mmCIF file of all heavy atoms in Angstrom:
data_model
loop_
_atom_site.group_PDB
_atom_site.id
_atom_site.type_symbol
_atom_site.label_atom_id
_atom_site.label_comp_id
_atom_site.label_asym_id
_atom_site.label_seq_id
_atom_site.Cartn_x
_atom_site.Cartn_y
_atom_site.Cartn_z
ATOM 1 N N THR A 7 -11.101 -19.226 -19.769
ATOM 2 C CA THR A 7 -10.978 -19.594 -21.175
ATOM 3 C C THR A 7 -9.720 -20.478 -21.370
ATOM 4 O O THR A 7 -8.686 -20.256 -20.639
ATOM 5 C CB THR A 7 -10.929 -18.428 -22.108
ATOM 6 O OG1 THR A 7 -9.766 -17.645 -21.793
ATOM 7 C CG2 THR A 7 -12.191 -17.575 -21.918
ATOM 8 N N ILE A 9 -7.592 -20.228 -23.591
ATOM 9 C CA ILE A 9 -6.476 -19.414 -24.018
ATOM 10 C C ILE A 9 -5.683 -18.829 -22.886
ATOM 11 O O ILE A 9 -4.498 -18.625 -22.965
ATOM 12 C CB ILE A 9 -6.918 -18.293 -24.992
ATOM 13 C CG1 ILE A 9 -5.795 -17.651 -25.701
ATOM 14 C CG2 ILE A 9 -7.722 -17.208 -24.224
ATOM 15 C CD1 ILE A 9 -5.379 -18.358 -26.882
ATOM 16 N N LEU A 27 -8.779 -11.805 -8.969
ATOM 17 C CA LEU A 27 -9.493 -11.143 -7.875
ATOM 18 C C LEU A 27 -8.711 -10.032 -7.219
ATOM 19 O O LEU A 27 -9.193 -8.954 -6.919
ATOM 20 C CB LEU A 27 -9.929 -12.207 -6.846
ATOM 21 C CG LEU A 27 -10.955 -13.284 -7.336
ATOM 22 C CD1 LEU A 27 -11.115 -14.359 -6.283
ATOM 23 C CD2 LEU A 27 -12.234 -12.605 -7.649
ATOM 24 N N LEU A 39 -9.463 5.792 -4.422
ATOM 25 C CA LEU A 39 -8.575 6.773 -3.975
ATOM 26 C C LEU A 39 -8.352 7.876 -4.937
ATOM 27 O O LEU A 39 -8.166 9.085 -4.530
ATOM 28 C CB LEU A 39 -7.248 6.105 -3.567
ATOM 29 C CG LEU A 39 -7.314 5.119 -2.387
ATOM 30 C CD1 LEU A 39 -6.019 4.460 -2.130
ATOM 31 C CD2 LEU A 39 -7.850 5.814 -1.133
ATOM 32 N N ASP A 50 -10.648 21.888 -1.977
ATOM 33 C CA ASP A 50 -9.595 22.898 -1.716
ATOM 34 C C ASP A 50 -9.836 24.127 -2.560
ATOM 35 O O ASP A 50 -9.752 25.259 -2.089
ATOM 36 C CB ASP A 50 -8.209 22.355 -1.893
ATOM 37 C CG ASP A 50 -7.785 21.306 -0.911
ATOM 38 O OD1 ASP A 50 -8.482 21.201 0.173
ATOM 39 O OD2 ASP A 50 -6.895 20.538 -1.169
ATOM 40 N N SER A 57 -13.042 31.996 0.004
ATOM 41 C CA SER A 57 -12.194 32.995 0.720
ATOM 42 C C SER A 57 -12.071 34.234 -0.168
ATOM 43 O O SER A 57 -12.201 35.392 0.382
ATOM 44 C CB SER A 57 -10.885 32.431 1.043
ATOM 45 O OG SER A 57 -10.981 31.376 1.967
ATOM 46 N N ALA A 59 -14.069 35.300 -2.506
ATOM 47 C CA ALA A 59 -15.325 35.984 -2.612
ATOM 48 C C ALA A 59 -15.651 36.805 -1.360
ATOM 49 O O ALA A 59 -16.068 37.932 -1.426
ATOM 50 C CB ALA A 59 -16.467 35.009 -2.849
ATOM 51 N N ALA A 68 -20.111 33.662 -2.186
ATOM 52 C CA ALA A 68 -19.480 32.797 -1.132
ATOM 53 C C ALA A 68 -20.603 31.824 -0.592
ATOM 54 O O ALA A 68 -20.286 30.616 -0.431
ATOM 55 C CB ALA A 68 -18.925 33.602 -0.042
ATOM 56 N N GLN A 72 -20.539 27.778 -0.795
ATOM 57 C CA GLN A 72 -20.600 27.002 0.455
ATOM 58 C C GLN A 72 -21.445 25.746 0.328
ATOM 59 O O GLN A 72 -21.186 24.722 0.953
ATOM 60 C CB GLN A 72 -21.077 27.847 1.654
ATOM 61 C CG GLN A 72 -20.073 28.837 2.191
ATOM 62 C CD GLN A 72 -18.974 28.132 3.017
ATOM 63 O OE1 GLN A 72 -18.778 26.950 2.970
ATOM 64 N NE2 GLN A 72 -18.265 28.938 3.714
ATOM 65 N N MET A 79 -17.891 17.843 1.210
ATOM 66 C CA MET A 79 -17.483 17.231 2.496
ATOM 67 C C MET A 79 -18.305 16.029 2.879
ATOM 68 O O MET A 79 -17.863 15.050 3.379
ATOM 69 C CB MET A 79 -17.642 18.346 3.573
ATOM 70 C CG MET A 79 -16.551 19.392 3.387
ATOM 71 S SD MET A 79 -16.722 20.790 4.521
ATOM 72 C CE MET A 79 -16.110 20.096 6.024
ATOM 73 N N GLU A 81 -19.757 14.003 0.671
ATOM 74 C CA GLU A 81 -19.311 12.900 -0.199
ATOM 75 C C GLU A 81 -18.018 12.335 0.208
ATOM 76 O O GLU A 81 -17.797 11.112 0.304
ATOM 77 C CB GLU A 81 -19.191 13.441 -1.645
ATOM 78 C CG GLU A 81 -18.762 12.450 -2.698
ATOM 79 C CD GLU A 81 -19.903 11.490 -3.085
ATOM 80 O OE1 GLU A 81 -21.035 11.714 -2.749
ATOM 81 O OE2 GLU A 81 -19.586 10.516 -3.756
ATOM 82 N N TYR A 96 -11.444 -2.384 7.230
ATOM 83 C CA TYR A 96 -11.837 -3.797 7.113
ATOM 84 C C TYR A 96 -11.138 -4.713 8.114
ATOM 85 O O TYR A 96 -11.483 -5.857 8.286
ATOM 86 C CB TYR A 96 -11.592 -4.250 5.665
ATOM 87 C CG TYR A 96 -12.534 -3.514 4.778
ATOM 88 C CD1 TYR A 96 -12.126 -2.374 4.103
ATOM 89 C CD2 TYR A 96 -13.865 -3.916 4.620
ATOM 90 C CE1 TYR A 96 -13.038 -1.675 3.353
ATOM 91 C CE2 TYR A 96 -14.758 -3.221 3.853
ATOM 92 C CZ TYR A 96 -14.321 -2.087 3.239
ATOM 93 O OH TYR A 96 -15.199 -1.385 2.498
ATOM 94 N N ASP A 99 -10.911 -6.481 13.794
ATOM 95 C CA ASP A 99 -10.349 -6.755 15.134
ATOM 96 C C ASP A 99 -9.046 -6.023 15.429
ATOM 97 O O ASP A 99 -8.472 -6.181 16.483
ATOM 98 C CB ASP A 99 -10.108 -8.281 15.314
ATOM 99 C CG ASP A 99 -9.205 -8.918 14.249
ATOM 100 O OD1 ASP A 99 -8.554 -8.156 13.502
ATOM 101 O OD2 ASP A 99 -9.127 -10.152 14.198
ATOM 102 N N ASP A 101 -5.981 -6.388 14.358
ATOM 103 C CA ASP A 101 -4.725 -7.127 14.520
ATOM 104 C C ASP A 101 -3.732 -6.914 13.378
ATOM 105 O O ASP A 101 -2.751 -7.607 13.363
ATOM 106 C CB ASP A 101 -5.055 -8.641 14.689
ATOM 107 C CG ASP A 101 -5.609 -9.271 13.424
ATOM 108 O OD1 ASP A 101 -5.915 -8.540 12.442
ATOM 109 O OD2 ASP A 101 -5.811 -10.471 13.409
ATOM 110 N N SER A 105 -8.582 -11.308 8.278
ATOM 111 C CA SER A 105 -9.018 -12.677 8.355
ATOM 112 C C SER A 105 -9.758 -13.010 7.081
ATOM 113 O O SER A 105 -9.974 -12.129 6.232
ATOM 114 C CB SER A 105 -9.968 -12.862 9.557
ATOM 115 O OG SER A 105 -11.121 -12.118 9.376
ATOM 116 N N ALA A 111 -15.131 -9.308 3.048
ATOM 117 C CA ALA A 111 -15.829 -8.028 3.124
ATOM 118 C C ALA A 111 -15.071 -6.910 2.320
ATOM 119 O O ALA A 111 -15.724 -6.163 1.609
ATOM 120 C CB ALA A 111 -15.983 -7.579 4.593
ATOM 121 N N ALA A 115 -16.641 -5.116 -0.945
ATOM 122 C CA ALA A 115 -16.732 -3.661 -1.008
ATOM 123 C C ALA A 115 -16.216 -2.958 -2.209
ATOM 124 O O ALA A 115 -16.683 -1.913 -2.602
ATOM 125 C CB ALA A 115 -16.101 -3.046 0.275
ATOM 126 N N GLY A 117 -16.231 -4.386 -5.177
ATOM 127 C CA GLY A 117 -16.933 -4.945 -6.353
ATOM 128 C C GLY A 117 -16.443 -6.322 -6.810
ATOM 129 O O GLY A 117 -16.785 -6.765 -7.916
#
Side-chain angles (χ1 to χ4, degrees):
T7 63
I9 193 84
L27 295 171
L39 295 176
D50 292 344
S57 294
Q72 283 286 17
M79 292 173 78
E81 182 75 10
Y96 294 95
D99 59 9
D101 68 353
S105 67

